[in-house]
Amino acid sequence: ENPDAELQGKLLAEDPNPIDTAKRTLKKELQKVQEEFGRAGADISDSEFLRVTEILKIDTEFVRKVFQRCAGASHSTMDKLWLGYEQFEKSQGNPAMAAKYMSEHMPRYVRGKAAYKELSQLGNNMDFYAV
């Protein structure tokens, strides 16, 4: 494995957005139906498209682990990340499990946020252009 492969995008998913992938995949078929039956016969409503996207398989355990690992790292987007993680867990439909997962990882989030604040305070006084 090339250590730079991740930077080159080789280890990343082919398309991180499955909805856009599905739209691109269906576009050719939709155009065929539009040509054959006219535009009105092939129009897909937003609610119908959302129903189809719910059927798409998403590896929730993988997404959960990524959120959990990022919650312990100290970076400037900690609050946005935590809000996204909360929304993700709550969207799974099991409030008890969502509360359990969030309570397990809240201390890591708080420590990461505190570490970022401390590091940014130390970095504010530095003159990066001093030789």
Side-chain angles (χ1 to χ4, degrees):
E1 288 273 331
N2 181 358
D4 293 332
E6 185 173 355
L7 295 175
Q8 297 170 1
K10 293 179 181 174
L11 297 180
L12 301 175
E14 288 181 18
D15 196 339
N17 191 342
I19 294 173
D20 287 342
T21 304
K23 280 184 177 179
R24 284 193 302 272
T25 304
L26 294 174
K27 190 173 184 176
K28 293 177 186 173
E29 295 299 320
L30 182 62
Q31 286 174 345
K32 287 180 186 176
V33 173
Q34 285 175 344
E35 291 170 1
E36 191 173 325
F37 298 107
R39 179 142 182 88
D43 199 15
I44 297 175
S45 67
D46 288 340
S47 61
E48 184 66 19
F49 187 75
L50 286 174
R51 187 184 68 77
V52 171
T53 58
E54 289 173 356
I55 296 171
L56 291 175
K57 182 179 168 110
I58 296 174
D59 189 0
T60 56
E61 198 57 39
F62 175 74
V63 174
R64 179 176 288 124
K65 286 180 182 181
V66 170
F67 268 124
Q68 291 170 350
R69 287 191 67 183
C70 292
S74 57
H75 50 82
S76 63
T77 59
M78 296 282 302
D79 294 328
K80 290 179 184 178
L81 177 99
W82 188 257
L83 287 174
Y85 180 54
E86 281 182 336
Q87 289 175 349
F88 167 74
E89 289 296 354
K90 289 176 182 177
S91 73
Q92 298 305 308
N94 190 344
M97 283 301 274
K100 177 183 174 266
Y101 282 127
M102 288 187 295
S103 67
E104 286 176 2
H105 291 280
M106 178 65 89
R108 292 179 68 197
Y109 162 71
V110 171
R111 284 192 308 267
K113 190 172 177 180
Y116 177 74
K117 283 184 180 180
E118 187 176 331
L119 288 171
S120 62
Q121 287 175 356
L122 289 172
N124 286 341
N125 297 327
M126 294 178 103
D127 183 9
F128 293 104
Y129 298 105
V131 178

